[in-house]
Amino acid sequence: MVSLTAVAGIAVVAFGMVLLPGPNMMYLVSRTITQGRRAGYVSLGGVAAGFAVYAAAATAGLTAVFAVVPALYTVIRLAGVGYLLWLAWQAVRPGGTTPFTPRELPADPPRRLLAMGLVTNLLNPKIAILYVSLLPQFTDPSRGHVWLQSLLLALVQIAVALTVNGIWVLCASAVSSFLTRRPAWQRLQRYVMGSVLASMAVMLGLERSRAAVAAP
């Protein structure tokens, strides 16, 4: 049903995107540092629920909506560009921070941790862009039901994202301590992170213009 090339492709894309800082990483890491690993993994459960919602939407034909109303996709794409540029600026600006910078947060009960993880993921522009723009590129109508292909590819993305995010939770405290004791490494991490985010924003912003050039 789904080619190994498509599975490998979405796995690589998912891995690259989950490595970039975003709302999910920031929330999970900050919760782990503030409240401990148990709170981090409970929050990850909420993030997993958010992925499930996106997977269901993709399976139900979310991309068809954007084919009918292309302006809606343009709005989401431009919002994603702006968000990535904002993250890049937050990383490289004077006094900028990384997701591993300790933050003071109030201790929340498991129910609220789950809810916040869910909401954080649902409002994550990076994940919306992945499901709306990138995942459909790996489906092939000639190989059978597109909805089933979308579901299988979404499950691959979820497995990769949850695995990597689980590792962030496991290592959050250690990475935070390492960067706190080594300011030079912290600055390097910030500038690398900012450069990658800005590059992604540029590529996403040029996506429509490339499509226009390719159109007959």
Side-chain angles (χ1 to χ4, degrees), residues 88-109:
W89 168 245
Q90 291 299 308
V92 302
R93 68 180 176 85
T97 61
T98 77
F100 294 95
T101 301
R103 295 172 176 83
E104 291 294 330
L105 294 173
D108 287 325

Side-chain angles (χ1 to χ4, degrees), residues 175-186:
V175 174
S176 178
S177 298
F178 175 87
L179 292 176
T180 300
R181 294 194 304 267
R182 297 167 176 83
W185 278 95
Q186 190 173 34

Side-chain angles (χ1 to χ4, degrees), residues 24-41 43-44 98-103 105 163-181 186 189:
N24 290 344
M25 181 193 291
M26 292 177 180
Y27 179 68
L28 293 173
V29 168
S30 62
R31 272 298 160 205
T32 303
I33 294 173
T34 302
Q35 238 177 300
R37 287 177 183 168
R38 181 176 180 274
Y41 283 118
S43 301
L44 182 58
T98 77
F100 294 95
T101 301
R103 295 172 176 83
L105 294 173
T163 299
V164 176
N165 278 317
I167 293 173
W168 286 134
V169 171
L170 182 65
C171 302
S173 296
V175 174
S176 178
S177 298
F178 175 87
L179 292 176
T180 300
R181 294 194 304 267
Q186 190 173 34
Q189 192 255 358

Side-chain angles (χ1 to χ4, degrees), residues 2 6 8 14 65 87-88 121:
V2 179
V65 175
L87 285 178
N121 200 16

Side-chain angles (χ1 to χ4, degrees), residues 11 14 18 23 30-31 53 55 87 95 104 112 122 124-125 134 140-142 149 160 167 172 191 193:
V18 78
S30 62
R31 272 298 160 205
V53 172
L87 285 178
E104 291 294 330
R112 180 171 174 78
L122 290 179
N124 187 347
L134 299 179
D140 182 358
S142 67
Q149 294 182 56
V160 172
I167 293 173
Y191 286 120
M193 181 174 68

